[in-house]
Amino acid sequence: DAKTTQPNSMESNEEEPVHLPCNHSTISGTDYIHWYRQLPSQGPEYVIHGLTSNVNNRMASLAIAEDRKSSTLILHRATLRDAAVYYCIRDGSGAGSYQLTFGKGTKLSVIP
Amino acid sequence: DTGVSQDPRHKITKRGQNVTFRCDPISEHNRLYWYRQTLGQGPEFLTYFQNEAQLEKSRLLSDRFSAERPKGSFSTLEIQRTEQGDSAMYLCASSFDYGTVSGNTIYFGEGSWLTVV
Protein backbone atom coordinates (compact mmCIF):
# COMPACT_ATOMS: atom_id res chain seq x y z
CA ASP A 1 0.00 0.00 0.00
CA ALA A 2 1.73 3.14 -1.24
CA LYS A 3 -0.96 5.54 -0.08
CA THR A 4 -0.61 8.63 2.04
CA THR A 5 -3.39 10.57 3.73
CA GLN A 6 -3.71 14.33 3.53
CA PRO A 7 -6.49 16.83 4.29
CA ASN A 8 -8.41 17.82 1.19
CA SER A 9 -7.92 21.53 1.72
CA MET A 10 -6.34 24.12 3.99
CA GLU A 11 -6.33 27.88 4.22
CA SER A 12 -3.64 30.25 5.33
CA ASN A 13 -3.26 33.97 5.63
CA GLU A 14 -0.55 35.56 3.57
CA GLU A 15 2.82 35.87 5.31
CA GLU A 16 1.88 33.38 8.00
CA PRO A 17 3.45 29.92 8.41
CA VAL A 18 1.63 26.91 7.01
CA HIS A 19 1.90 23.36 8.28
CA LEU A 20 0.66 20.75 5.82
CA PRO A 21 0.29 17.32 7.44
CA CYS A 22 0.63 13.90 5.86
CA ASN A 23 0.08 10.43 7.30
CA HIS A 24 1.97 7.45 5.89
CA SER A 25 1.49 4.86 8.60
CA THR A 26 2.51 1.88 6.42
CA ILE A 27 5.72 3.40 5.13
CA SER A 28 8.65 1.01 4.76
CA GLY A 29 12.13 1.70 6.03
CA THR A 30 13.53 2.50 2.59
CA ASP A 31 10.74 4.78 1.35
CA TYR A 32 11.61 8.43 1.00
CA ILE A 33 8.92 11.03 1.62
CA HIS A 34 8.54 13.50 -1.20
CA TRP A 35 6.46 16.62 -1.51
CA TYR A 36 5.42 18.09 -4.81
CA ARG A 37 3.09 20.95 -5.55
CA GLN A 38 1.03 21.74 -8.59
CA LEU A 39 -0.21 25.10 -9.72
CA PRO A 40 -3.25 25.25 -12.00
CA SER A 41 -2.57 24.05 -15.54
CA GLN A 42 1.05 23.19 -14.76
CA GLY A 43 2.97 20.03 -14.10
CA PRO A 44 3.89 19.10 -10.53
CA GLU A 45 6.92 20.83 -9.09
CA TYR A 46 9.36 19.20 -6.67
CA VAL A 47 9.39 20.85 -3.25
CA ILE A 48 11.42 18.72 -0.84
CA HIS A 49 12.12 15.18 0.23
CA GLY A 50 13.59 13.31 3.17
CA LEU A 51 14.07 9.91 4.79
CA THR A 52 14.44 10.27 8.53
CA SER A 53 15.92 13.61 9.43
CA ASN A 54 14.22 16.95 9.10
CA VAL A 55 15.17 18.76 5.92
CA ASN A 56 15.32 22.38 4.88
CA ASN A 57 15.67 24.02 1.50
CA ARG A 58 14.93 27.40 0.01
CA MET A 59 11.29 26.50 -0.58
CA ALA A 60 10.23 24.76 2.60
CA SER A 61 11.07 22.57 5.57
CA LEU A 62 10.11 18.95 6.06
CA ALA A 63 9.56 17.63 9.56
CA ILE A 64 9.45 13.82 9.78
CA ALA A 65 8.07 12.10 12.84
CA GLU A 66 10.45 9.86 14.74
CA ASP A 67 8.39 6.77 13.86
CA ARG A 68 8.16 7.99 10.26
CA LYS A 69 4.43 7.43 10.16
CA SER A 70 3.74 11.07 9.50
CA SER A 71 5.41 14.19 8.21
CA THR A 72 4.70 17.89 7.93
CA LEU A 73 5.59 20.29 5.17
CA ILE A 74 6.27 23.74 6.54
CA LEU A 75 6.04 26.88 4.46
CA HIS A 76 7.53 29.54 6.69
CA ARG A 77 5.75 32.53 5.17
CA ALA A 78 2.92 31.78 2.79
CA THR A 79 2.68 33.95 -0.30
CA LEU A 80 -0.06 34.10 -2.90
CA ARG A 81 2.22 32.14 -5.24
CA ASP A 82 2.15 29.23 -2.78
CA ALA A 83 -1.53 28.61 -3.51
CA ALA A 84 -1.45 25.15 -5.09
CA VAL A 85 -2.24 21.49 -4.57
CA TYR A 86 0.42 19.88 -2.40
CA TYR A 87 1.11 16.17 -2.74
CA CYS A 88 2.82 14.01 -0.15
CA ILE A 89 4.23 10.88 -1.79
CA ARG A 90 6.13 7.78 -0.76
CA ASP A 91 9.11 7.14 -2.98
CA GLY A 92 9.84 3.44 -3.20
CA SER A 93 12.94 3.77 -5.38
CA GLY A 94 15.07 2.45 -2.54
CA ALA A 95 13.28 -0.87 -3.04
CA GLY A 96 13.47 -0.68 -6.81
CA SER A 97 10.06 0.80 -7.56
CA TYR A 98 10.10 4.02 -9.55
CA GLN A 99 6.43 4.81 -9.81
CA LEU A 100 5.20 7.58 -7.58
CA THR A 101 1.63 7.17 -6.31
CA PHE A 102 -0.13 10.51 -6.04
CA GLY A 103 -3.29 10.98 -4.00
CA LYS A 104 -5.59 13.96 -4.37
CA GLY A 105 -3.30 16.15 -2.30
CA THR A 106 -4.12 19.18 -0.17
CA LYS A 107 -5.40 22.26 -1.91
CA LEU A 108 -3.84 25.24 -0.17
CA SER A 109 -5.59 28.58 -0.42
CA VAL A 110 -3.70 31.71 0.64
CA ILE A 111 -5.78 34.63 1.78
CA PRO A 112 -4.36 38.11 1.12
CA ASP B 1 15.17 26.47 -20.82
CA THR B 2 16.60 23.15 -19.69
CA GLY B 3 13.42 21.67 -18.22
CA VAL B 4 11.32 18.80 -19.49
CA SER B 5 9.71 19.76 -22.77
CA GLN B 6 6.45 18.34 -24.09
CA ASP B 7 4.79 18.74 -27.47
CA PRO B 8 2.09 19.48 -28.37
CA ARG B 9 0.77 21.31 -25.34
CA HIS B 10 -2.81 20.93 -26.48
CA LYS B 11 -4.45 18.47 -28.83
CA ILE B 12 -8.09 18.12 -29.82
CA THR B 13 -8.90 14.98 -31.75
CA LYS B 14 -11.92 13.09 -32.91
CA ARG B 15 -12.77 9.78 -31.33
CA GLY B 16 -11.08 6.95 -33.14
CA GLN B 17 -8.08 8.96 -34.31
CA ASN B 18 -4.51 8.28 -33.25
CA VAL B 19 -2.45 10.85 -31.38
CA THR B 20 1.22 11.03 -30.47
CA PHE B 21 2.90 13.10 -27.79
CA ARG B 22 6.60 13.82 -27.61
CA CYS B 23 8.72 14.39 -24.53
CA ASP B 24 12.26 15.73 -24.36
CA PRO B 25 13.70 15.10 -20.89
CA ILE B 26 16.28 17.14 -19.07
CA SER B 27 19.61 16.57 -20.73
CA GLU B 28 21.49 13.55 -19.34
CA HIS B 29 18.52 12.30 -17.34
CA ASN B 30 18.46 8.57 -17.91
CA ARG B 31 15.03 7.92 -16.44
CA LEU B 32 11.82 9.01 -18.12
CA TYR B 33 8.23 8.65 -16.94
CA TRP B 34 4.75 9.15 -18.32
CA TYR B 35 1.81 10.02 -16.10
CA ARG B 36 -1.80 10.83 -16.82
CA GLN B 37 -3.92 13.30 -14.89
CA THR B 38 -7.67 13.93 -15.08
CA LEU B 39 -9.46 16.89 -13.56
CA GLY B 40 -9.50 16.88 -9.78
CA GLN B 41 -7.20 13.87 -9.48
CA GLY B 42 -3.53 13.49 -8.84
CA PRO B 43 -1.25 12.20 -11.60
CA GLU B 44 -1.39 8.45 -12.29
CA PHE B 45 1.70 6.52 -13.29
CA LEU B 46 1.67 5.02 -16.77
CA THR B 47 5.17 3.84 -17.57
CA TYR B 48 8.87 4.29 -16.86
CA PHE B 49 12.05 4.00 -18.94
CA GLN B 50 15.61 3.53 -17.82
CA ASN B 51 17.57 4.70 -20.85
CA GLU B 52 15.80 2.98 -23.77
CA ALA B 53 14.40 0.07 -21.74
CA GLN B 54 10.78 0.23 -20.64
CA LEU B 55 10.98 -1.24 -17.14
CA GLU B 56 7.59 -0.58 -15.56
CA LYS B 57 4.12 -0.36 -17.05
CA SER B 58 0.89 0.38 -15.26
CA ARG B 59 -2.18 -1.69 -16.00
CA LEU B 60 -3.69 1.67 -16.98
CA LEU B 61 -1.58 1.40 -20.12
CA SER B 62 -4.02 -0.52 -22.29
CA ASP B 63 -3.16 -2.11 -25.62
CA ARG B 64 -4.09 1.15 -27.34
CA PHE B 65 -1.23 2.94 -25.61
CA SER B 66 2.38 2.53 -26.59
CA ALA B 67 5.45 4.39 -25.42
CA GLU B 68 8.92 4.34 -26.85
CA ARG B 69 12.29 5.83 -26.08
CA PRO B 70 14.34 4.54 -28.98
CA LYS B 71 17.69 6.18 -28.32
CA GLY B 72 17.39 6.75 -24.61
CA SER B 73 16.74 10.45 -25.10
CA PHE B 74 13.31 11.72 -26.20
CA SER B 75 10.19 9.61 -25.82
CA THR B 76 6.86 9.32 -27.59
CA LEU B 77 3.50 8.24 -26.22
CA GLU B 78 0.99 7.11 -28.83
CA ILE B 79 -2.68 6.53 -28.24
CA GLN B 80 -4.47 4.58 -30.94
CA ARG B 81 -8.21 4.69 -31.61
CA THR B 82 -8.75 7.40 -29.01
CA GLU B 83 -11.80 7.27 -26.77
CA GLN B 84 -13.46 10.08 -24.84
CA GLY B 85 -12.15 8.56 -21.63
CA ASP B 86 -8.63 9.27 -22.85
CA SER B 87 -9.20 13.00 -22.39
CA ALA B 88 -6.64 14.04 -19.80
CA MET B 89 -3.34 15.79 -19.31
CA TYR B 90 -0.38 13.58 -20.16
CA LEU B 91 2.67 14.42 -18.11
CA CYS B 92 6.23 13.49 -18.85
CA ALA B 93 8.92 13.57 -16.19
CA SER B 94 12.59 12.71 -15.96
CA SER B 95 15.21 12.00 -13.35
CA PHE B 96 18.85 11.00 -13.05
CA ASP B 97 20.15 7.87 -11.37
CA TYR B 98 22.98 9.03 -9.16
CA GLY B 99 23.69 5.46 -8.19
CA THR B 100 23.23 6.14 -4.49
CA VAL B 101 20.26 5.70 -2.23
CA SER B 102 19.14 9.29 -2.02
CA GLY B 103 15.57 9.24 -3.21
CA ASN B 104 14.41 9.67 -6.77
CA THR B 105 13.49 13.29 -7.43
CA ILE B 106 11.65 13.62 -10.71
CA TYR B 107 11.05 16.76 -12.74
CA PHE B 108 7.82 17.17 -14.63
CA GLY B 109 7.04 18.92 -17.86
CA GLU B 110 4.09 21.24 -18.35
CA GLY B 111 1.94 18.45 -19.74
CA SER B 112 0.08 17.79 -22.96
CA TRP B 113 -3.67 18.30 -22.79
CA LEU B 114 -5.74 15.86 -24.84
CA THR B 115 -9.39 16.42 -25.60
CA VAL B 116 -11.22 13.68 -27.48
CA VAL B 117 -14.48 14.82 -29.04
Side-chain angles (χ1 to χ4, degrees):
Chain A
D1 180 5
K3 289 186 179 177
T4 59
T5 304
Q6 300 177 253
N8 291 333
S9 62
M10 291 184 65
E11 277 188 355
S12 173
N13 292 318
E14 194 176 10
E15 298 191 4
E16 290 188 355
V18 183
H19 290 234
L20 297 165
C22 179
N23 288 321
H24 28 78
S25 59
T26 60
I27 194 168
S28 74
T30 57
D31 285 354
Y32 279 78
I33 299 153
H34 281 242
W35 285 81
Y36 287 80
R37 72 180 185 182
Q38 188 172 25
L39 279 66
S41 300
Q42 294 189 22
E45 174 188 29
Y46 167 78
V47 178
I48 199 166
H49 78 284
L51 184 63
T52 55
S53 302
N54 294 343
V55 184
N56 300 294
N57 66 20
R58 64 176 180 81
M59 291 182 70
S61 295
L62 176 59
I64 302 171
E66 195 169 338
D67 63 7
R68 297 201 343 114
K69 293 185 176 181
S70 65
S71 61
T72 302
L73 178 71
I74 303 165
L75 306 179
H76 296 286
R77 288 183 67 214
T79 70
L80 296 178
R81 289 179 296 177
D82 291 324
V85 177
Y86 286 79
Y87 297 100
C88 166
I89 300 159
R90 288 163 50 177
D91 166 16
S93 61
S97 174
Y98 295 97
Q99 53 176 287
L100 298 181
T101 302
F102 288 76
K104 290 188 177 183
T106 297
K107 184 175 182 179
L108 175 66
S109 300
V110 179
I111 302 167
Chain B
D1 184 7
T2 57
V4 177
S5 176
Q6 294 189 243
D7 183 71
R9 293 293 315 282
H10 300 272
K11 178 74 176 178
I12 300 174
T13 191
K14 291 184 178 179
R15 188 175 54 186
Q17 298 294 304
N18 299 344
V19 296
T20 299
F21 299 110
R22 176 182 169 118
C23 172
D24 287 273
I26 294 172
S27 179
E28 298 181 354
H29 276 194
N30 55 351
R31 294 180 180 154
L32 188 144
Y33 314 78
W34 286 98
Y35 283 76
R36 180 177 71 182
Q37 186 174 25
T38 54
L39 285 175
Q41 304 296 317
E44 298 171 293
F45 172 82
L46 292 178
T47 191
Y48 150 68
F49 290 85
Q50 173 102 6
N51 299 312
E52 64 274 11
Q54 188 173 21
L55 298 184
E56 286 188 61
K57 290 173 65 173
S58 163
R59 58 179 180 271
L60 292 175
L61 213 65
S62 74
D63 291 344
R64 297 184 298 105
F65 287 71
S66 62
E68 293 183 344
R69 194 183 183 199
K71 297 182 179 179
S73 56
F74 74 92
S75 174
T76 57
L77 176 68
E78 182 183 18
I79 308 173
Q80 296 181 328
R81 306 181 302 282
T82 52
E83 301 172 356
Q84 287 187 319
D86 297 330
S87 296
M89 179 166 67
Y90 291 84
L91 290 158
C92 178
S94 69
S95 69
F96 185 77
D97 178 8
Y98 289 92
T100 60
V101 180
S102 60
N104 183 42
T105 299
I106 68 176
Y107 298 89
F108 285 86
E110 296 295 313
S112 292
W113 288 92
L114 173 65
T115 302
V116 182
V117 297

